[in-house]
Amino acid sequence: ENHLQEKVAEFVFEGSHVALLDGAGDAMMVNDAICEMLDYTRAELMGMSLAQVIAEEDRELAFSRLAARASGEQVSVRSTVRLLRKDGTRIDTDVFASPYEIDGERLGSVLEIRDVTEKMALQRRSADVAAEIATILETAPDPIVRIDAEGRRQ
């Protein structure tokens, strides 16, 4: 039964975008998906501080949440964080972080990280287009009317 549990845990770990951090925010375990996302090797990421891959403007919040989890104040949190690839390229990520414990001792955090760069770019573009349309409608010298496929005003 323990062997099966270990295999399931390994499958889940390797099948997701997961990193395991110690209480100080240093990488203890990372999987291939995280390495590929950030363009580092596993050896490069092991022991690396979270601060080295989080964009400067997100570091304070990330570390305050890490400290809260380590002290038992906060159980889990989902947030959008800008990470840095090895070449310095920024990516938008959705991070779900929760504490992990062994024998009742809180040891660090488990992070599930999803790259949402394209999704965020589409959201920004949609907001820009909506603002542009609103500006056109507000400043047009002539009335603008919306008509559906049957020729009815909407």
Side-chain angles (χ1 to χ4, degrees), residues 43-98:
E44 289 172 319
L45 282 174
M46 294 305 296
M48 184 183 285
S49 172
L50 184 63
Q52 293 175 263
V53 295
I54 292 185
E56 188 173 338
E57 62 271 18
D58 291 340
R59 284 182 197 149
E60 184 178 336
L61 178 61
F63 275 95
S64 69
R65 289 180 174 171
L66 183 69
R69 273 191 303 283
S71 69
E73 294 176 28
Q74 218 169 339
V75 175
S76 59
V77 66
R78 180 176 301 279
S79 56
T80 300
V81 178
R82 287 167 292 267
L83 298 181
L84 303 171
R85 288 193 171 114
K86 187 176 182 177
D87 67 1
T89 305
R90 292 170 176 258
I91 58 171
D92 294 310
T93 61
D94 183 34
V95 178
F96 180 74
S98 57

Side-chain angles (χ1 to χ4, degrees), residues 116-136:
V116 294
T117 304
E118 289 182 23
K119 175 184 170 185
M120 298 294 285
L122 284 172
Q123 287 176 344
R124 286 189 289 273
R125 180 66 184 132
S126 293
D128 290 347
V129 168
E132 186 177 332
I133 290 170
T135 299
I136 290 169

